[in-house]
Amino acid sequence: MIFIPTLSLHDTRAVAQILRDVPAAQACQWVLLYRRNLYEGRDPGYRAQMTDRLEWRKVFAAFMEDTNVRFLTDTEQLTDQYQTLGVVPFETAPIPMNPDFQAGRREAPGQFQIVYAGDARAEKGYPLFPDLAEQFALEGNTRNVRFRLQSNFAFREVRDDPATVLARNHLETMDSPAVELIKVPIPSEEYLNLVNSASVMPLLYHRDNYYARSSGALAEALASGIPVVVTSASWLDLQ
């Protein structure tokens, strides 16, 4: 079995070519998981975007004769989106969870800690944190409240996104012991400790981008018994 946990259009085209050109690949069971939204926004706005998704239909059509390929998403909303293409069947898989994210393993921090976990991205609400941190400072809560914000840029398009870059620069200029920025990727154990240190986790994700997409951070917070604040009318809100 070959499992690919997230694919783009380009990746899918490559897998189709491998299955066509490499005979040994056809003896494998392929499991392909799609975690990105196919359409922007929500139904009934999908129909107007279907002509822009013809390349997806062409690529999936290359798999119609392959009985050893399964297509998955990790939310019912994403499955509904990909099913509109009407080419190959999709199933909804559960979200995998590290068993170390357990409420019983979590120790309550001595200070009220607001944690942002994951790479810094505008669609995840990162640019909202400077105003939030300043508001707490204005109210004189910096002794009691601490922000711990994972602030690394995982993708080139994020490094080029003005809102995210300006937000991190703004947080750096605050030079406050109440704001901790983690600007590099961290190992799994450190990430686990970061999540478990949270008193609350704001997940202020873009409601249209995350109408259908899942959030691993939400699943981790809920498994660890951490209160969350989420954007209304999003997949996170539905959970």
Side-chain angles (χ1 to χ4, degrees):
M1 178 181 287
I2 299 174
F3 173 54
I4 306 180
T6 182
L7 292 94
S8 65
L9 177 65
H10 178 75
D11 301 326
T12 307
R13 189 180 288 117
V15 172
Q17 183 175 342
I18 290 169
L19 284 167
R20 186 181 67 240
D21 297 344
V22 183
Q26 299 168 12
C28 301
Q29 172 74 47
W30 292 75
V31 182
L32 310 181
L33 176 65
Y34 293 82
R35 300 190 64 238
R36 289 283 178 174
N37 46 302
L38 188 62
Y39 303 112
E40 298 299 324
R42 59 207 69 207
D43 211 13
Y46 298 163
R47 185 173 298 277
Q49 302 174 54
M50 283 185 178
T51 55
D52 297 329
R53 305 301 183 268
L54 292 179
E55 283 302 310
W56 278 105
R57 295 194 68 184
K58 290 178 184 177
V59 170
F60 284 131
F63 293 92
M64 290 182 69
E65 303 300 322
D66 292 307
T67 58
N68 57 344
V69 182
R70 292 178 63 195
F71 299 90
L72 308 177
T73 78
D74 61 357
T75 75
E76 294 293 349
Q77 292 86 347
L78 276 181
T79 294
D80 290 343
Q81 287 194 6
Y82 281 90
Q83 292 281 36
T84 63
L85 297 173
V87 183
V88 294
F90 280 81
E91 308 168 69
T92 306
I95 298 173
M97 178 56 56
N98 181 342
D100 288 336
F101 288 101
Q102 298 177 21
R105 293 175 59 95
R106 183 167 171 265
E107 295 182 8
Q111 191 177 35
F112 191 88
Q113 299 200 136
I114 299 172
V115 169
Y116 173 95
D119 52 298
R121 298 219 303 268
E123 66 176 0
K124 291 186 173 184
Y126 185 86
L128 300 173
F129 280 95
D131 285 345
L132 191 60
E134 286 187 338
Q135 186 63 42
F136 274 88
L138 286 172
E139 294 175 2
N141 289 322
T142 52
R143 288 186 179 180
N144 303 320
V145 177
R146 184 183 184 203
F147 287 82
R148 302 191 70 201
L149 311 176
Q150 195 170 354
S151 303
N152 59 295
F153 300 153
F155 305 104
R156 178 179 295 175
E157 56 265 32
V158 176
R159 294 195 295 269
D160 296 335
D161 175 56
T164 306
V165 173
L166 287 171
R168 193 173 82 169
N169 290 344
H170 190 167
L171 288 163
E172 286 181 310
T173 60
M174 293 179 68
D175 192 27
S176 168
V179 178
E180 176 190 356
L181 303 185
I182 303 166
K183 297 192 290 185
V184 297
I186 55 179
S188 297
E189 188 64 28
E190 287 185 34
Y191 179 82
L192 174 67
N193 292 336
L194 172 66
V195 172
N196 280 339
S197 73
S199 305
V200 64
M201 190 176 291
L203 300 169
L204 310 176
Y205 291 14
H206 191 286
R207 61 162 55 94
D208 287 340
N209 289 6
Y210 280 87
Y211 167 69
R213 280 158 56 187
S214 69
S215 163
L218 175 71
E220 292 160 354
L222 296 179
S224 299
I226 297 167
V228 295
V229 179
V230 302
T231 312
S232 64
S234 64
W235 176 87
L236 294 83
D237 183 31
L238 293 174
Q239 309 314 304

